Every structure is written in C-alpha cells, then in structure tokens.
Amino acid sequence: MSSLLAAGLIGVLAVASAAGGEFLAGGVLVAQVVFVMGAVRVAPIPAANSAAWLALVVGGGATGWTAWAGLPGLAPVAIVLGPALVLAMVVQLLRRDGRPRLTASLTLTVAACVLVVLPAAWVGLRYADGGSHAVALGLLGAGIAVLADALGVSAMVRRLLAVLAAAAAASALAVWVETFSAVPAVSAVAVAAFGAVMAIVALAAVDVLGAESPRREEQQLVVGQNEDVAVAVTPLRVVLPVVVAAPVVYVLGRILVE
C-alpha cells in the first residue's frame, strides 16, 4: 500500500511539473507537510512538535521563495537553513521540561529542517534550462523504484530491476518521444537511474528503521516506557524517496540536461 501511495505522490509531482513550476511547488509543499506531520511530529523525542512546526516553516519558506522568484538555483535553501539552525537551538532553550534527551531533540530538529528543504531542489530544477525534462526523468526513476519495491522478490533483485527499468524507460523516452529528443540518451539514463538509486537508498533506510522498531519497542517495555517508532515508517516510505532523490537529480539535471 505504501508503494502505491509513494508512486501516487510522484505521479502528482510529475503532472504538477508538466503544468508549471508553481504547481510543482504546491505538490512539493504537500510532500513536506506529509513528511513533517507524519514522521517528525510523531517522533518519540521531546520537543518533536516544535521541531515539526519549525521544519514546516523552513521547508515551506524555501519552496515558496524558489517558486515565487522563479530561481533555478538553491540560494533560498541556503539562506533559510542558516537561521533555522539558530532557531533549532532556541527551541531547546525555551523548553521547560528539564530538557531530557537534549542531544536527541536537537538532532531531530536540525535533521528535520535539513531534510524538509531538500525537495525544494525539484522546484529549482524546474526553472532551469531543460528543467522540465530533468524533473520528469528524475521522478520517473524514483517512481519505478517505489513500484518495484512492492514486487515479491528479494530486495537485491527488485532494486537491481528498478535501476535497469528506470534506465530503459529513460532511454526509450529520449529516443522515441519527440519532446525529449533534445535530451541525449546517455544523460536521460543517468538522471533516471540515479533518481531510482536514491529512492532505493531511502527505502532501504526506512526498512532498517522498520526492522529496528520492534526491537526498540521491546526494550522500552522492559524499562516501562512506550515509544512507538513504527508509526513514522509509512509516511517515510511515501515521502522519503522524493526527499532523498531531489538534490542528486538536481545536480545531474543541471549538468547533463539542457
């Protein structure tokens, strides 16, 4: 089910990108809300709620600024992240609970702010020369990867098949689809394949978290605590492939696709 939801989100982003950069920014904002409210806000760590709201403001600000200015660069991301790191420390200073697990709470806040701004790279890439093609190819690779993850075969086989299928699909687009004829086949394959690889990396990380959560729940029961780590697994499987693939596709798209 999570694979279908992830593929649906990627499909929405692809359609939004075809409609224009502002529409893509709207889709990215939806992905950021799902990530923040579904994974960050429910984290079993003190000040997770404050971290979620700060991350949402940071991510929404970077995405909105990029779309409003029509910038192909990532200057808004860098400018927004600086104050966000300071505000992450302010959030901890404002706590009135004795500040238990201070390091974990600060780490969550900073990591949430960094991760939530990464999808803004999709919007910046959309405004670059050839950006619509690069975004489409990157999302194609990520979409194939999340769909392949639902196959009932071993993880190694389905992930290898995903990369190969993404490369083949991108090559077919570059050769047979007229609107992609300006993109060299090798460039198209590279962007789509790396989009698939980064989505696979994200899914593998979520698999590790999902495998660790029952073990952690058992440990917490022993010491009399109740920390549900598994609740964030599904939102992460839906959104994290888009988050992780964004910066890599951005770099390759700016270099290889014009």
Side-chain angles (χ1 to χ4, degrees):
M1 184 63 177
S2 60
S3 295
L4 293 178
L5 290 174
L9 174 62
I10 292 171
V12 168
L13 292 177
V15 172
S17 176
E22 298 84 357
F23 293 95
L24 177 59
V28 168
L29 286 172
V30 171
Q32 289 170 326
V33 170
V34 173
F35 172 72
V36 168
M37 295 303 170
V40 179
R41 190 167 182 265
V42 301
I45 293 177
N49 188 58
S50 300
W53 285 108
L54 175 60
L56 190 58
V57 171
V58 171
T63 301
W65 185 355
T66 303
W68 174 74
L71 294 173
L74 298 181
V77 172
I79 294 171
V80 168
L81 269 182
L85 300 182
V86 176
L87 290 174
M89 292 183 280
V90 172
V91 167
Q92 302 307 314
L93 292 173
L94 293 177
R95 289 172 60 186
R96 293 294 181 264
D97 56 357
R99 299 193 188 94
R101 302 181 65 186
L102 177 60
T103 302
S105 182
L106 181 59
T107 301
L108 172 69
T109 307
V110 173
C113 290
V114 172
L115 288 174
V116 80
V117 299
L118 293 183
W122 292 111
V123 182
L125 179 60
R126 178 62 178 77
Y127 286 105
D129 293 336
S132 60
H133 294 149
V135 170
L137 290 166
L139 291 174
L140 173 66
I144 290 175
V146 298
L147 286 175
D149 201 60
L151 296 177
V153 295
S154 69
M156 180 179 294
V157 172
R158 67 175 180 260
R159 288 163 184 170
L160 177 61
L161 288 175
V163 176
L164 294 176
S171 179
L173 280 178
V175 173
W176 293 328
V177 178
E178 184 177 354
T179 55
F180 284 84
S181 59
V183 181
V186 174
S187 299
V189 167
V191 173
F194 273 94
V197 168
M198 297 312 298
I200 289 167
V201 169
L203 292 171
V206 178
D207 287 342
V208 172
L209 178 63
E212 288 290 331
S213 60
R215 202 175 313 163
R216 284 198 56 179
E217 288 172 4
E218 292 176 3
Q219 293 172 353
Q220 296 301 330
L221 289 174
V222 170
V223 298
Q225 298 179 6
N226 182 20
E227 295 190 351
D228 189 3
V229 181
V231 69
V233 169
T234 297
L236 284 175
R237 289 191 71 85
V238 173
V239 181
L240 202 59
V242 171
V243 172
V244 174
V248 175
V249 172
Y250 176 87
V251 172
L252 290 176
R254 293 299 303 271
I255 295 173
L256 300 176
V257 180
E258 296 182 357

